[in-house]
Amino acid sequence: MKIMPTEAAQAVHFDSEVARGVTGRVVIGRVDGANNFCMRRFDLAPGGHTPRHAHAWEHEIFFHAGEGEVYHDGQWIRVAPGDAVFVPGDQEHQIRNAGDAALTFICLVPAGAPEI
Amino acid sequence: MKIMPTEAAQAVHFDSEVARGVTGRVVIGRVDGANNFCMRRFDLAPGGHTPRHAHAWEHEIFFHAGEGEVYHDGQWIRVAPGDAVFVPGDQEHQIRNAGDAALTFICLVPAGAPEI
């Protein structure tokens, strides 16, 4: 069994036009023996956003803290702590921070997708 | 894409000696086209606990709110919001509320495991 603060996982930072102010962490993955799906934690700084992209694998996302918006089909949809999002494969999506504090969410992907 | 407050998913209540004060909800599952893994939300009332059990499939758990403890190998280990737990298959485990408010966590299982 692995029990840990998600903040303690190794941080990878992304900061460009494509992915602004993003910190990502693999919390539970292949190295832990998780062979079916992988848990990552993401923190977006105020003004931060993930890439707008699509890919074959799905996301299951849970919003833990902060204020955010999710891009879907030409619209930005507000999300709050406790909300969940299912992004099926091949659907264009993007997440951005819509508040003054960090936006923290958990994003899970199936085995075979890139872990970070 | 599905975007929803996790509290809005249909609630199933468990209240017995085995599972005390537990509310479970399937947030993202087969009905949504999630064919690889399933997200459930659980809320444990003060004094509440899940069953102490083991099964072949793994759990990936993220603690969202409240104070909890996880049973592992004869010990109770404290968990707080932002913590994650990986329970590999066949490991005995149990979760209990250790505070005065609800304990809320997200628990994911691979496809093929019971969704709730």
Side-chain angles (χ1 to χ4, degrees):
Chain A
M1 194 178 293
K2 179 182 185 181
I3 304 180
M4 66 177 295
T6 48
E7 281 191 345
Q10 187 175 5
V12 181
H13 301 285
F14 304 91
D15 203 7
S16 69
E17 285 303 308
V18 173
R20 172 75 61 206
V22 175
T23 301
R25 295 173 171 90
V26 177
V27 177
I28 302 170
R30 280 188 300 272
V31 71
D32 304 301
N35 297 320
N36 289 295
F37 54 101
C38 170
M39 179 189 291
R40 300 97 47 85
R41 172 190 169 130
F42 289 96
D43 295 270
L44 273 54
H49 59 80
T50 69
R52 183 174 303 183
H53 63 175
H55 39 65
W57 60 89
E58 71 269 33
H59 287 315
E60 297 193 14
I61 302 170
F62 176 78
F63 287 90
H64 175 56
E67 300 170 56
E69 290 180 332
V70 177
Y71 178 85
H72 172 55
D73 204 15
Q75 293 190 306
W76 286 100
I77 298 156
R78 196 85 176 187
V79 288
D83 287 357
V85 175
F86 177 53
V87 183
D90 298 321
Q91 276 198 6
E92 193 179 45
H93 58 281
Q94 186 177 21
I95 298 171
R96 70 183 181 192
N97 191 329
D100 298 327
L103 173 68
T104 301
F105 59 92
I106 298 297
C107 178
L108 297 110
V109 293
E115 291 201 327
I116 195 85
Chain B
M1 195 177 292
K2 178 183 185 179
I3 303 180
M4 66 178 295
T6 48
E7 281 190 345
Q10 187 176 5
V12 181
H13 301 285
F14 305 91
D15 204 6
S16 68
E17 285 304 307
V18 173
R20 170 76 61 208
V22 175
T23 302
R25 294 173 170 91
V26 177
V27 176
I28 301 170
R30 281 188 301 272
V31 71
D32 304 301
N35 296 320
N36 289 295
F37 54 101
C38 169
M39 180 189 290
R40 300 97 49 83
R41 171 189 169 131
F42 289 96
D43 294 271
L44 272 55
H49 60 80
T50 68
R52 184 174 302 182
H53 63 175
H55 39 65
W57 60 90
E58 72 269 32
H59 287 315
E60 297 193 13
I61 302 170
F62 176 78
F63 287 89
H64 175 57
E67 300 170 58
E69 291 179 332
V70 177
Y71 177 86
H72 172 55
D73 203 15
Q75 293 190 306
W76 286 99
I77 299 156
R78 196 84 175 188
V79 289
D83 288 357
V85 175
F86 177 53
V87 183
D90 298 320
Q91 277 199 6
E92 193 179 46
H93 58 282
Q94 185 177 21
I95 298 171
R96 69 184 181 192
N97 191 329
D100 298 328
L103 173 68
T104 301
F105 59 91
I106 297 297
C107 179
L108 297 110
V109 292
E115 291 200 327
I116 195 85

